[in-house]
Amino acid sequence: MCGGRKKPAFPQLLIRFVLAAVVLSAASAPPRCAAFNPRMLFLVKPDPIVLRDHGGALLTGNLTVNLLFYGRFAPSQRAIIADFVRSLSPPAVSRHPAGPSVASWWRTTSLYRGGGARVALGRQFLDERMSLGRGPLSPANITSLARAAGHHRGAVTAVLTAADVAVSPFCVSRCGAHGGDRAGAHGRARYAYLWAGNPGAQCPGKCAWPFHRPPYGPQAPPLAPPNGDVGVDGMVISLAALLAGTVTNPYGDGYYQGDAGAGLEAATACAGIFGSGAYPGYPGKLLTDPATGGSYNAAGLAGRKYLLPALWDPTTSQCKTLV
């Protein structure tokens, strides 16, 4: 059912303005890395959002998403993330949740050239001993972790760092990033990877908003996370945005607006928007789980509920929300 949160009072000037996201490049990451930060909002009227198709390869067809958990994650935390990935393209025989779902959110990516990707959960790797130390890990370290996990055509490795693992520049300018690299004897084969950090202990106000008060800007009471974990529910927001950016702009020459490597992508073009009527400091109209009080906009498999960012719809040139 719809949440009963009243829209907080807000200066009329801000309501007239449109949300825009800032995506920062990772110049030190080989070769290109697009970053995600849901709290980087400008209170200025932006240019119209039109993600141009630059004609490069997209990830379409069957796609496997492997998960590499770096640091300590509780089994319940791993299950939240794995169930989200499983919910993107559930098998036809599964019982689909009623109402807005993770699968219907993901179908927006099928409106891009090539028809999108059908996602399957692949292997799950545990690096609890932190083979590269507690950090700070560099973008190059993230690339090496993704490479060491194995890569092949039709697969993406998601490197997920625990709440006490430092990643440079996690929390300073990004909550996660995605990029591409080359493999093989002659570096001819390309593969995509992404990284998302658990912000629960380091920067929940930046990377787990709206489940935590932001460090700056409009202040409103934080929402209850749908799975009861501020850090992991915030991490899912980043993971979702990065997966959408990975399939629609995997190598920096797909869909984006702005400069290559630092442009707006499918989800970052709609940063801060989760439901209809969103504006700075207000994520929009959401649903509330009557059992837990958690706010969400998409239901998944195994009874899970998630809060997912709006996606740019190439057929309407608008940010598309589920509620």
Side-chain angles (χ1 to χ4, degrees):
M1 68 183 206
C2 294
R5 299 179 70 247
K6 294 183 179 179
K7 184 180 295 187
F10 207 79
Q12 188 64 27
L13 176 62
L14 297 184
I15 300 176
R16 292 163 50 198
F17 287 166
V18 184
L19 289 172
V22 171
V23 184
L24 303 177
S25 64
S28 59
R32 177 207 69 88
C33 211
F36 174 69
N37 187 336
R39 285 294 304 165
M40 295 294 284
L41 305 177
F42 276 166
L43 304 185
V44 297
K45 189 173 183 178
D47 294 331
I49 299 175
V50 178
L51 303 190
R52 177 186 166 196
D53 182 3
H54 292 77
L58 308 185
L59 301 186
T60 60
N62 294 325
L63 179 68
T64 300
V65 174
N66 300 315
L67 303 177
L68 191 162
F69 294 95
Y70 187 89
R72 291 187 178 276
F73 285 82
S76 59
Q77 294 178 317
R78 298 198 302 268
I80 292 170
I81 296 170
D83 284 342
F84 165 70
V85 176
R86 291 175 52 242
S87 299
L88 292 168
S89 303
V93 295
S94 65
R95 182 178 178 181
H96 291 209
S101 66
V102 174
S104 61
W105 173 84
W106 184 248
R107 277 196 292 273
T108 299
T109 63
S110 69
L111 303 176
Y112 290 69
R113 173 170 51 86
R118 182 168 183 82
V119 175
L121 176 63
R123 300 179 64 185
Q124 299 184 54
F125 304 92
L126 302 182
D127 191 348
E128 293 184 326
R129 295 185 177 181
M130 294 174 283
S131 57
L132 298 181
R134 198 177 297 276
L137 303 180
S138 67
N141 292 147
I142 297 298
T143 304
S144 66
L145 285 170
R147 186 185 298 119
H151 47 77
H152 61 85
R153 196 170 212 173
V156 170
T157 295
V159 179
L160 307 171
T161 50
D164 60 347
V165 174
V167 180
S168 177
F170 183 41
C171 294
V172 176
S173 62
R174 67 194 58 193
C175 306
H178 76 86
D181 202 358
R182 293 185 178 273
H186 303 287
R188 294 176 179 174
R190 293 193 296 183
Y191 68 95
Y193 64 92
L194 64 87
W195 155 72
N198 183 329
Q202 298 184 54
C203 53
K206 288 184 177 181
C207 298
W209 182 84
F211 303 131
H212 194 280
R213 287 185 182 274
Y216 54 84
Q219 299 289 313
L223 306 179
N227 294 287
D229 190 314
V230 169
V232 172
D233 279 305
M235 179 182 251
V236 168
I237 294 173
S238 296
L239 175 60
L242 292 164
L243 278 173
T246 297
V247 299
T248 58
N249 188 33
Y251 308 117
D253 53 5
Y255 284 84
Y256 65 89
Q257 174 180 296
D259 297 329
L264 301 179
E265 296 183 330
T268 53
C270 305
I273 302 175
F274 296 94
S276 59
Y279 57 80
Y282 175 61
K285 177 183 177 182
L286 302 175
L287 305 176
T288 301
D289 186 334
T292 66
S295 295
Y296 72 101
N297 60 5
L301 301 179
R304 297 283 188 191
K305 294 181 173 64
Y306 299 97
L307 185 64
L308 305 179
L311 293 180
W312 188 80
D313 185 335
T315 66
T316 64
S317 296
Q318 300 290 326
C319 291
K320 184 178 181 179
T321 62
L322 294 175
V323 293

